[in-house]
Structures are given as structure tokens and as C-alpha cells.
Amino acid sequence: MSDSLVKVRSLVKHFKLEPKGLFDAPPVLRAVDGIDFDVQRGETLGLVGESGCGKSTTARLVLRLIEPTSGSITLDGVDVLATSKKELMALRREMQIVFQDPLSSLNPRMSVGTSIAEPLRFHRIADKVERFDLARRYLEIVGLSKDYYDRLPHEFSGGQNQRVAIARALILQPKLLILDEPVSALDVSIRAQVLRLLIDVQAEFGLTYIFISHDLSVVKRVCNRTAVLYLGKIVEIAESERLYREPLHPYSQALIRAIPEANPDGPRADSLAGIEGDVPSPVNPPQGCRFHTRCPHRMPVCTEKEPPLMEAGDGHKVACFLHQEAADHSDGQ
């Protein structure tokens, strides 16, 4: 992509686990196992998939909260993995994260205003009075009263605390904001308000989002493009509207069929309809296509080779041998 803010290439993260026996080699958990994606400036890229597929690990790798096993990450042309500790501290101003549980991500003994101003103090931006004024301003930006500055997190609802967490992430004016299940811990009635806030501040500040969620209906609403992960691999990536209209990978198709509809007379959502069994262990993923053990369309080649992420036209990519011929035709053009 010509104007990519984030570029991820061949990203891998393996965790060594405790060996079962004294002389056994430590087993390796393949949390993220070779993924590539770009995030364009100003867009929202969604990462979806079942629990344990590698979504949150990918987010922490992009922020370099954990070190990758291999691969490359660039943010606005800067090699994130090549930066020194001092350079990384400065780079962290450009990328922030909002976590799933707002209450646990805030210091319970620190007022919400102090929490919002803390990143400014850490990066030595502005003096104490200016930080106080900025924190009050950002409280208002996220829809809270500036008079709430001295209140503690336990005095707020979950939705209000998430607004505080968003304000804390915004105050450094980052280029990239990673949202890790930002509304899944909130009441349904509050989710729409927080999502509306995220859309509004993205437009106001020109932010780029990586939005992580297991709720595909939420991702459909807020994301320009969506990447579907399965066992540490991206199996499909496309513009969100196209992905929901014509998913190509059997796993994506099952996820979308499982989205509940508001219409009581419509077809009933069937949780992962047509998908057999449970997700295999990332410690011992299946050979070949990782989804073949659960796929209703598996072929002999699926057990022998791992399908690459193939172009299916107009930026729609899928890792499935069912679409090999279409991908070859697209490459030929």
C-alpha cells in the first residue's frame, strides 16, 4: 500500500513452555506464526478470530510490549524492532493501546485526571499546570466533565472508565491506537456510545486504529478492512463490506454465519455452523492447512501443504486451496 503507517512482515512469536520431563525439550507455543499485513494511514484494521488465535499477541508485538521471535515491524517508516531503549521510549508516544478491562488498566489509587496526565509527566511534556489543563480538556473530549478530575476510578461506571482510558491514550496525540476488545467488557447499552466516541475522535485527530474483537458485528461497523486469524495465521483479509458479503475461507464463512441478527424472523445464528471439533493446540498445530481438521471442504492437498495468503482480486486475500485457481488467474492479470 502506498500510504501505509504500519507494515508487518513475517511476524513470528513462539513461547517456550515448561518441559514435561527433566530431559524433555521445552514445547513451543506458536502464538503468532508468520503473518503479514499493512495498516493504511487513517484506516481501521480489524483483527478477528476465536480466543487463542493470536490477536492480542499481535497487538503487543506491534507495540513491542513483548519481543518477537522473528519478523519486522515498521511504524511510519521507522523500524520498531531496531530501535534502542531510548529511541523506543520516544516512539511509544506515537502508538498507544486501550485495553479490554478499563478498571484494571487504571491505577485505583490515582485520580482519573492524574492518570490521564501521567503519560505527559512520563515523557516530560509540559509543566504541572499545563498537564492539569490538558487532562481536563481531554476529559471533555471523551464526553466527561472536567470537574471529574479528582475522582477515583471506582466512582465511575465501566463505560466512563473506558472513556478515561481512551483520554489517557489520546493525550500524547499518537499516530496509531490499538484497541484490544475495547467494548467487550461493557454493557450492551454502553457499547454503541463508546464506539461512536472512537469513530468521532478518529476523525478529529486523524488516528489509525488496529481494532481487536471477537464480536464480528462490532468489527463490521467500525473497521475499513478485516483480517481473520486462525491458530496464529491470517487466513483471510479484505475490505469489511466485501468480507461480510462474500467470505471465501470456510472459517470466515462460519464466523459470519454465527453473527446473531436483530430480526427475530430471520435465520437463526448457528455457532460456527458446519465446523467440526475444537481449535487444535497451538503447541502442536496440524500439518498443512491448520484449519483442515475442522474444514467441511478439506482436500488431500490440505493435509500436505500450507496454503499461502493468495490474492483473490481487489486486495481480497485468502489462504485456501479452494481458491487457488482464482488466485492464479488474478496473479496472471
Side-chain angles (χ1 to χ4, degrees), residues 172-238:
L172 289 175
Q173 298 184 355
K175 296 176 181 176
L176 174 68
L177 188 58
I178 294 181
L179 304 162
D180 191 359
E181 302 271 13
V183 297
S184 64
L186 306 180
D187 293 340
V188 174
S189 60
I190 304 300
R191 291 182 187 179
Q193 299 174 23
V194 174
L195 289 174
R196 183 72 257 171
L197 170 66
L198 290 171
I199 293 170
D200 290 344
V201 297
Q202 182 180 33
E204 181 177 353
F205 294 98
L207 296 168
T208 301
Y209 288 163
I210 295 178
F211 192 100
I212 297 168
S213 180
H214 65 273
D215 188 337
L216 274 77
S217 60
V218 170
V219 172
K220 181 182 180 182
R221 177 181 174 186
V222 302
C223 297
N224 304 102
R225 292 186 303 130
T226 302
V228 181
L229 279 77
Y230 184 80
L231 273 183
K233 292 279 189 179
I234 292 179
V235 297
E236 188 166 3
I237 183 168

Side-chain angles (χ1 to χ4, degrees), residues 11-15 28-34 57 61 66-70:
L11 189 61
V12 173
K13 181 58 182 179
H14 293 170
F15 294 96
V28 175
L29 188 151
R30 301 172 182 270
V32 176
D33 210 16
T57 301
L61 289 169
I66 55 177
E67 296 292 332
T69 303
S70 61

